[in-house]
Amino acid sequence: MTDTDARLQPKKKGLTRRQKRSLSRGVQYVVFVAAVIAFAFAADWGRLANQFAQEDVARQMFPDVITLALKNTVFYTVSGFVFALVLGLVLALMRLSSVGPYRWVAGVYIEIFRGLPALLIFIFIGVAIPLAFPGTEIVGGTYGKAALALGLVGAAYLAETFRAGIQAVPKGQMEAARSLGFSPARAMISIIIPQAFRIILPPMTNEFIILFKDSSLVLLLGVTLEERELSKFGRDLASTTANSTPILVAGLCYLLVTIPLGFVVRRMEAKAQEAVK
């Protein structure tokens, strides 16, 4: 075959890059639909409904699941989050301080409390402190202990979030404030920290969601019937009724708070990206 004949023969064309992507996407959809169908047919929905979806059992939970359990859960979370905000900001400023001991203390605290499971923090608050300091009572009883435990856990994460937010503020802001006669402390409080708050709102909201779920560990502190949060409330009724429907209802109550907050976080992140563009 001559070179001329070879050039005249039609070239074999393969799939374009767009066609390959479309084919790959189609295969993924088919696999996903097949998996959903297989799961739907394999599950015993009758047994699941009998164990987790008894309407009469769910009806027994209202209105206490909202007026008592959800209210306590929100109160524990908000009080712990406020304490975490204050302590986290102090730790962040210590990490950024020019004084060595401040940086070391803050660094040790952050590494320890970020590394320990929240479960151990609650056990420490509920058991170790009374043993170490006999007769000592934390203000607020169970509510105070819950706020302290959640705050200690959240502060370690918020401290790093605050530090990143403060460092994200352009250095020219501090220089401009100093040129106007502001002291370093006043410039930090009046100029830098408010801007840092706007930057870190999405991760702060994520931390609130995490603390909201961690509030389920309050049961380790020994709560009364009036101090129960969602998880304890659901577990108690599940034991009483010998049915898991209360667990499902309690989980749905968590979602009533976490899903809207997750939507808020996504909206804030989208607006932040638009502002950057």
Side-chain angles (χ1 to χ4, degrees), residues 27-75:
V27 170
Q28 293 177 41
Y29 279 124
V30 170
V31 171
F32 175 76
V33 172
V36 170
I37 293 175
F39 175 79
F41 279 99
D44 190 338
W45 296 106
R47 294 182 62 186
L48 283 174
N50 183 61
Q51 186 64 25
F52 288 94
Q54 288 295 319
E55 183 179 351
D56 56 334
V57 176
R59 196 179 295 114
Q60 297 175 23
M61 302 180 66
F62 291 90
D64 289 346
V65 68
I66 302 296
T67 60
L68 176 68
L70 181 58
K71 181 194 71 174
N72 283 337
T73 301
V74 171
F75 183 82

Side-chain angles (χ1 to χ4, degrees), residues 24 27 29-30 44 47 78 82 86 97 107 109 124-125 135 137 144 154 165 169 190 197 204 211 237 251 271:
S24 175
V27 170
Y29 279 124
V30 170
D44 190 338
R47 294 182 62 186
V78 171
V82 170
V86 175
S97 173
Y109 177 95
F124 176 80
I125 297 298
E137 289 291 336
V169 177
S190 303
F197 261 99
M204 279 176 56
L211 289 182
L237 280 181
K271 288 184 178 180

Side-chain angles (χ1 to χ4, degrees), residues 45-59 61-62 65-66 69-70 212 229-239 241-259:
W45 296 106
R47 294 182 62 186
L48 283 174
N50 183 61
Q51 186 64 25
F52 288 94
Q54 288 295 319
E55 183 179 351
D56 56 334
V57 176
R59 196 179 295 114
M61 302 180 66
F62 291 90
V65 68
I66 302 296
L70 181 58
F212 184 73
E229 39 69 49
L230 282 170
S231 293
K232 175 65 173 173
F233 186 85
R235 288 180 60 186
D236 287 349
L237 280 181
S239 299
T241 60
N243 190 272
S244 299
T245 300
I247 302 296
L248 176 63
V249 174
L252 294 176
C253 289
Y254 278 104
L255 295 179
L256 286 176
V257 176
T258 58
I259 289 179

Side-chain angles (χ1 to χ4, degrees), residues 138-165:
I138 296 176
V139 178
T142 301
Y143 294 100
K145 293 177 183 177
L148 178 59
L150 290 171
L152 290 175
V153 173
Y157 293 93
L158 285 176
E160 290 296 275
T161 303
F162 274 123
R163 182 178 63 83

